[in-house]
Amino acid sequence: AVGYRFPSRRILGAEEEQEPRTMGAYVPEAVVGFHESVAVVDYAKMYPSIIRTCNLSPDTVDPHGEIQIPMTDERGSPTGNIAGRFRRSPEGHVPAALREVLEGRAEYSRRQDAAEVGSPEWYEAYRLSTAYKVTANTFYGVVLSALSRFYHREVGESVTAMARLLLASTMEAVARRSL
């Protein structure tokens, strides 16, 4: 991606603000009541992990790319369309920056684990680990904000399409095991 220039963005006009919204996450309806054998699933760093694993970045978008992200409906079922295609290498600018942020978080998490709980060192490491975590979680918003120089609708839609697919696949696997 050497030589790739991310364009400057300008203030949006009224017609650009009317661009269709990107389909977001799939949040299944809760089943009210008391339940036995309840499992809680938490995908650690889901959107950052998708961005890094699939090399999702404006500079890796390629109609012939090796990584193909299926478009899904609001419940995570593939529609038969493609949300986006991306090159596997080189590593894109957004995944590379995200890797550095996550490495920073890991370093401060290690320092927090090594420090005495409640000590000034522990609190300092906690604050910095949390700051890196929050920063990592902003990357999805950065690629989907038309005001960002890293804006690319196909990248943002690919992130949420893959997340819906992963959640739907997990729910199907749990349902099969529960029978």
Side-chain angles (χ1 to χ4, degrees):
V2 174
Y4 189 89
R5 181 185 173 279
F6 288 93
S8 296
R9 294 288 176 189
R10 57 184 170 58
I11 296 175
L12 299 178
E15 68 283 351
E16 293 167 302
E17 292 176 3
Q18 300 302 316
E19 187 174 324
R21 296 184 68 109
T22 299
M23 189 183 316
Y26 169 45
V27 181
E29 289 292 322
V31 179
V32 178
F34 292 99
H35 306 279
E36 292 183 25
S37 302
V38 174
V40 176
V41 177
D42 181 14
Y43 293 95
K45 303 180 286 276
M46 182 181 226
Y47 283 9
S49 295
I50 290 169
I51 291 169
R52 290 202 55 223
T53 301
C54 300
N55 202 28
L56 305 184
S57 188
D59 54 315
T60 63
V61 173
D62 182 341
H64 307 290
E66 306 91 338
I67 300 172
Q68 181 174 294
I69 309 295
M71 179 53 82
T72 60
D73 64 18
E74 64 279 349
R75 296 183 59 86
S77 298
T79 64
N81 296 324
I82 303 302
R85 291 186 74 126
F86 302 86
R87 288 188 307 274
R88 186 170 310 286
S89 65
E91 181 179 41
H93 292 304
V94 172
L98 190 51
R99 176 178 38 78
E100 290 183 24
V101 168
L102 293 172
E103 287 170 356
R105 176 157 195 241
E107 172 61 27
Y108 285 104
S109 292
R110 279 191 293 277
R111 290 183 188 188
Q112 183 183 359
D113 291 343
E116 183 180 333
V117 175
S119 68
E121 296 80 14
W122 186 89
Y123 280 111
E124 178 72 7
Y126 170 77
R127 283 191 293 274
L128 289 168
S129 173
T130 301
Y132 276 102
K133 176 183 179 178
V134 170
T135 301
N137 287 330
T138 67
F139 276 64
Y140 166 71
V142 166
V143 297
L144 214 47
S145 170
L147 298 174
S148 167
R149 71 176 48 233
F150 299 103
Y151 169 75
H152 201 289
R153 185 178 180 88
E154 190 173 337
V155 173
E157 287 183 339
S158 294
V159 172
T160 55
M162 182 58 77
R164 289 189 302 271
L165 181 65
L166 288 171
L167 181 58
S169 298
T170 301
M171 291 175 64
E172 288 172 16
V174 169
R176 279 194 306 273
R177 294 191 92 194
S178 298
L179 297 176

